[in-house]
Amino acid sequence: MEQKKIRIGFIGTGGIAHSHMRAYLKRTDVEMVALCDIVPGKAEAFAKEFGIEGCVFYESHEKMLDTEVLDAVSVCTYNAQHAAPTIYALNKGVNVLCEKPAARTYNEALTMLEAQHKTGKVLNIGVVNRFNDGVNQIKKRIDAGELGEI
């Protein structure tokens, strides 16, 4: 039996979206379905850069989420615009991997969390520190017992 592929959409195809796409392309269980960017032609150029064919392109996350059947989206917009597409996607029943920071304000972040709780969908904020030198130094000190019991 063939495994069902996870249907992925992107909201924002700028700098950090490249890291998300490289990670997705290493997986055999995902399918790139739709790409969205407010800059005309940017999503198409992004797809071409990665050799992705068969995607549908949008300039509005609302239009993309109203039209496509997606399992998850990566929200890779600029920082001030993380909340709106995340909340919209969750309310459409789509899981979200949102780039950091989660939101501009505490209230926006709470609204995102409320949408996640209301819908029961997954909301993951991409805070990755495994390659952060400072974090790795602290981890070494913890493991060596230098900081006491934590």
Side-chain angles (χ1 to χ4, degrees):
M1 177 196 273
E2 188 175 321
Q3 180 182 13
K4 179 182 178 267
K5 293 198 176 205
I6 302 166
R7 296 174 55 84
I8 303 291
F10 269 66
I11 302 173
T13 57
I16 197 64
H18 291 78
S19 295
H20 286 238
M21 185 60 77
R22 283 191 295 273
Y24 284 126
L25 290 175
K26 291 178 183 176
R27 302 187 56 96
T28 59
D29 60 344
V30 300
E31 174 186 2
M32 290 304 129
V33 175
L35 302 173
C36 172
D37 201 290
I38 61 172
V39 177
K42 192 171 178 186
E44 291 89 335
F46 183 78
K48 185 176 181 181
E49 178 181 343
F50 284 98
I52 297 167
E53 296 179 3
C55 276
V56 182
F57 305 108
Y58 296 90
E59 292 177 18
S60 156
H61 69 269
E62 295 96 343
K63 177 82 170 163
M64 182 181 82
L65 290 161
D66 289 346
T67 305
E68 301 297 331
V69 176
L70 300 170
D71 297 306
V73 292
S74 274
V75 175
C76 299
T77 60
Y78 52 97
N79 294 348
Q81 290 299 315
H82 287 170
T86 295
I87 293 164
Y88 199 86
L90 291 167
N91 285 327
K92 284 295 193 173
V94 177
N95 299 299
V96 176
L97 171 57
C98 181
E99 192 49 50
K100 66 184 183 301
R104 283 179 306 161
T105 68
Y106 179 71
N107 284 335
E108 278 184 353
L110 281 180
T111 305
M112 292 166 70
L113 188 60
E114 288 167 1
Q116 186 270 324
H117 286 291
K118 180 181 91 177
T119 63
K121 302 313 289 182
V122 173
L123 170 58
N124 189 349
I125 307 302
V127 179
V128 179
N129 280 308
R130 69 177 167 260
F131 301 114
N132 180 309
D133 287 335
V135 171
N136 288 328
Q137 288 300 317
I138 291 170
K139 174 74 169 116
K140 285 180 186 175
R141 295 181 96 189
I142 289 169
D143 291 346
E146 295 175 27
L147 302 176
E149 186 177 338
I150 296 179

